[in-house]
Amino acid sequence: MLPKYSFIVPIYNEEETIYEMYRRISQVMNQMDGPVELCLINDGSRDRSLYIMRELHQKDPRVVYLSLARNFGHQIAVTAGLNFVRGQVVVILDADLQDPPELIPEMVNLWQQGYQIIYAQRTKRRQEGWFKRFTAYAFYRLLKNLADVDIPTDTGDFCLLDRQVVDVLNSMPERNRYIRGLRSWVGFNQTAIRFERDPRFAGDVKYTFHKSFALAINGLVSFSKVPLRLSTYVGLLAAIVALFMCLLVLYWRIFLPHSPLTGITIILIAFFFLGAVQLISIGILGEYIGRIYEEVKQRPLYTLSEVTGFEQQKSGVRSRESEVN
Ligand code: UDP
Ligand code: MG
């Protein structure tokens, strides 16, 4: 029998959290009104995570798993899960129990009322450092102002998706998967539930500063063209400033011929200012061109080394292309 509910959990070096995550999620699974699959995605873990996943699958056939051939990153791991799960209702949550699985019944309730996307919005982050809280706060507000679509603030990937939405997401060809952005972009009947984000159950944060920064840039560049326009604006501003300085120099030459501020100072300032503006603009341009390059390469999004428990799909490792087309 095909599952009605699919829970997707990406896993990267989570040996300390998996058992507890399974314990809490399986309590929720037992309450559901139809068959459930728990789809774990091993994102190239270097610890015992994959062995634990195999063990859980042996004990409980509702646990199915994919193993990516290396660490592809959280967003890609979730994408792989979305490609494979079979449920009518799909829930994405983190392995570290920061997204409490006990909220799922409430989300399903809203689904039954006709909502197709229910995303969880955090009202509080318990025990996360001020730096993370501040940067996240600032970033979500910046994104909201710059993005072409309305991406709700303070929402992560914890959400419930209807099958119709999952099919649309799977058919989107882009390689830059900023899931919370794509989820807003697709439309449909969306609503939020609010929750307080718990601290990580165990282990270290797997999203290093570098990965979070890359994710943030990805979100901005994938959903906004404002940064490109920025260089035009700064260019205009620089032109006005330059004109003003011309007038200033003219004034000095005529009325204050002995001014200590010589032409060379002004030239140096202008030189550095314009140089900086140009370098930043090239950098911004590069972000977009780099993405065009990624898209045209048409590489598969991920490679799989193991696919277990998806009975209907035993034919082996499928490429993402055959999944999409
Ligand atoms: N994760 C992943 N691949 C990565 C980094 C993280 O699959 O390269 C998973 C991780 O195992 C966890 C989730 O993504 O289930 C969120 O990671 P984490 O809790 O470290 O980040 P947070 O969002 O809490 O800062
Ligand atoms: Mg976490």
Side-chain angles (χ1 to χ4, degrees), residues 135-201:
T135 46
Y137 181 89
F139 168 71
Y140 284 116
R141 270 135 199 98
L142 182 70
L143 184 64
K144 193 176 171 65
N145 280 311
L146 296 190
D148 318 327
V149 286
D150 192 14
I151 301 176
T153 51
D154 305 320
T155 57
D157 291 323
F158 184 23
C159 66
L160 179 150
L161 305 171
D162 182 76
R163 167 52 50 188
Q164 200 182 356
V165 179
V166 174
D167 288 343
V168 172
L169 287 177
N170 284 341
S171 73
M172 292 171 86
E174 58 204 277
R175 264 113 251 280
N176 268 304
R177 315 294 296 192
Y178 186 66
I179 291 173
R180 48 202 94 155
L182 297 177
R183 187 179 68 205
S184 304
W185 184 89
V186 294
F188 294 102
N189 227 344
Q190 312 208 356
T191 190
I193 60 165
R194 301 178 144 262
F195 77 114
E196 294 191 3
R197 193 154 209 238
D198 291 328
R200 186 171 241 287
F201 169 72

